[in-house]
Amino acid sequence: MASVQPSTETTKPAGPPANDSNSPARDDGSRSAEEKAAIDNWLPINASRNAKWWYSAFHNVTAMVGAGVLGLPYAMSELGWGAGVTIMLLSWIITLYTLWQMVEMHEMVPGKRFDRYHELGQHAFGERLGLWIVVPQQLVVEVGVNIVYMVTGGTSLKKFHDTVCESCKQLKLTYFIMIFASVHFVLSQLPNFNSISGVSLAAAVMSLSYSTIAWGASVDKGKVADVDYGMRATTTTGKVFGFLGALGTVAFAYAGHNVVLEIQATIPSTPEKPSKKPMWKGVVVAYIVVALCYFPVSFVGYWAFGKTVDSDILVTLSRPKWLIALANMMVVIHVIGSYQIYAMPVFDMMETVLVKKLRFPPGLTLRLIARTVYVAFTMFIAITFPFFDGLLSFFGGFAFAPTTYFLPCIMWLAIYKPKRFSLSWFANWICIILGVLLMVLAPIGGLRNIIISAKTYHFYQ
């Protein structure tokens, strides 16, 4: 991916960066340099820098390939073959390009590493403006994903229970979300990205496995009789809102950018071996896996069932029971890892504020209380608003489009200033325009789905 850019020699050796000017809260002027360094080393993002390139690969797969892949055939039924295939391919290309930009910008300043998304934003837009542009969007993305994954984990657990034990008493979704959350009360105490590498690897394997089950079972089942590839909705209004909601579902599927700098921060770097080389190697492997998951599930699922496909293709594939039960349990294991990947930057922000601004002493007690409260919060919201497909569309357009599709391009233009009308200039502006359209249009369809679902929903049912 060629682009106009200045020399980007990277220098920072492995070790904690001097981040005093690049955090949402810096009020530790009275602390000694040793105390500040100790605090930086205690924070989740800076704590460990010994990751290998394959850590980047499975962390990115876990972050990118979520349970949203199971909703892509439904999105295809709202888009149709032409628009669906085009949007899926364009999204893959654009998001790979913007991910490459972020990997390149991680060490664009000699001797410095931008370990967090907001630090890069501050470099591009200024200390205060960069913070206000990036942090709210990143928090919406990461907290939103964690809430959606609470719903997904609980829903998949319920489907597993109902599939393997049809004669058992039907339990409320609320209980399954609480069971799923109980795992995170424990796992959230793992201190940093490298400490959750085993969980992330298992999650990455599960994502490829259940995606393969989804499209493989669809091939085995074959086309349903009189399959219809027309638009799912029958009214013009329904078609428009369905199309917009599907855009949000696709945007949600490409969400890994919000944690990419934090993942790259775990990789060691020297002037001779900058972190961008192993990081990009891992990203390429991850995106190959993404393609192997997304495209077969989307296209084969839509080919087999047309517009009758459900919002979760595993619901449509009700047989064989044992395979569908296994796939649902794989989804549960995967979203356990994904939840932790997206929660880690939130934990880092929370602990930075608590320790550096509010001056709480760093330690196990602070981490235990802060992270437990966060998990409980996401659990409560998920139990209260479990509108899975509507949440995918709404958060996909409202939050993921800026941080994934066009904010990296704006930063690239602001920092590198490529020549007007050059290939790089055109590529970035095309991504920005498409991303802004996605951000404006997609949440409309998702919000409509939420409103429709809310009409028949009873709280804590």
Side-chain angles (χ1 to χ4, degrees), residues 260-274:
V260 67
L261 293 180
E262 287 83 352
I263 292 171
Q264 191 170 350
T266 66
I267 298 176
S269 181
T270 65
E272 298 76 25
K273 295 182 178 180

Side-chain angles (χ1 to χ4, degrees), residues 8 44 100 133 161 163 217 219 240 244-245 254 265 292 296 312 315 355 375 378 380 427:
T8 55
W100 169 77
I133 287 175
H161 171 270
T163 302
V219 170
V240 170
L244 298 180
Y254 295 93
L292 292 175
D312 181 343
V315 174
V355 173
V375 173
T378 56
F380 173 75

Side-chain angles (χ1 to χ4, degrees), residues 63-64 117 133-150 251-260 262 338-339 341-346 349 374 377-378 391-392 394-408 439:
M64 188 74 69
Y117 204 144
I133 287 175
V134 176
V135 170
Q137 293 186 81
Q138 193 178 12
L139 280 174
V140 168
V141 168
E142 289 161 355
V143 177
V145 166
N146 284 157
I147 293 168
V148 170
Y149 281 165
M150 276 285 182
F252 187 93
Y254 295 93
H257 296 57
N258 294 277
V259 293
V260 67
E262 287 83 352
S338 295
Y339 183 100
I341 289 289
Y342 279 95
M344 198 60 71
V346 181
M349 291 185 197
Y374 175 77
F377 168 75
T378 56
L391 289 171
L392 283 180
F394 182 75
F395 281 120
F398 178 71
F400 290 97
T403 54
T404 300
Y405 284 79
F406 67 85
L407 192 55
M439 179 188 70

Side-chain angles (χ1 to χ4, degrees), residues 322-336:
W322 68 269
L323 190 62
I324 304 309
L326 178 63
N328 275 297
M329 186 50 64
M330 288 176 172
V331 172
V332 172
I333 295 171
H334 175 248
V335 293
I336 286 173

Side-chain angles (χ1 to χ4, degrees), residues 27-212:
D27 189 25
D28 51 357
S30 61
R31 287 189 170 112
S32 67
E34 292 78 11
E35 289 174 321
K36 293 178 182 178
I39 289 172
D40 282 335
N41 289 335
W42 178 80
L43 291 171
I45 303 304
N46 304 125
S48 178
R49 292 193 191 272
N50 57 7
K52 308 298 183 183
W53 72 264
W54 54 85
Y55 283 44
S56 152
F58 57 73
H59 280 328
N60 276 289
V61 169
T62 301
M64 188 74 69
V65 183
V69 65
L70 301 175
L72 290 176
Y74 183 88
M76 286 288 296
S77 72
E78 299 280 18
L79 298 168
W81 276 119
V85 172
T86 301
I87 291 169
M88 286 294 299
L89 291 175
L90 269 179
S91 294
W92 191 87
I93 294 168
I94 290 172
T95 56
L96 180 58
Y97 173 63
T98 55
L99 199 53
W100 169 77
Q101 288 180 313
M102 296 194 71
V103 171
E104 288 289 319
M105 290 189 286
H106 178 75
E107 294 176 292
M108 70 176 73
V109 177
K112 187 174 184 61
R113 298 181 70 173
F114 298 109
D115 292 331
R116 299 164 176 86
Y117 204 144
H118 71 79
E119 292 177 6
L120 181 60
Q122 287 175 295
H123 179 73
F125 306 122
E127 289 294 316
R128 291 185 63 83
L129 182 60
L131 206 62
W132 284 103
I133 287 175
V134 176
V135 170
Q137 293 186 81
Q138 193 178 12
L139 280 174
V140 168
V141 168
E142 289 161 355
V143 177
V145 166
N146 284 157
I147 293 168
V148 170
Y149 281 165
M150 276 285 182
V151 177
T152 307
T155 303
S156 297
L157 267 179
K158 188 176 190 307
K159 289 174 186 173
F160 175 81
H161 171 270
D162 295 345
T163 302
V164 299
C165 189
E166 291 180 335
S167 60
C168 294
K169 179 183 178 181
Q170 294 293 304
L171 299 176
K172 295 179 180 179
L173 175 60
T174 296
Y175 297 134
F176 289 99
I177 293 176
M178 292 172 70
I179 293 169
F180 181 76
S182 66
V183 177
H184 294 292
F185 284 117
V186 177
L187 291 181
S188 65
Q189 302 309 313
L190 295 173
N192 53 58
F193 269 116
N194 284 348
S195 67
I196 61 172
S197 57
V199 178
S200 180
L201 175 59
V205 172
M206 291 300 103
S207 64
L208 184 58
S209 300
Y210 69 71
S211 297
T212 303

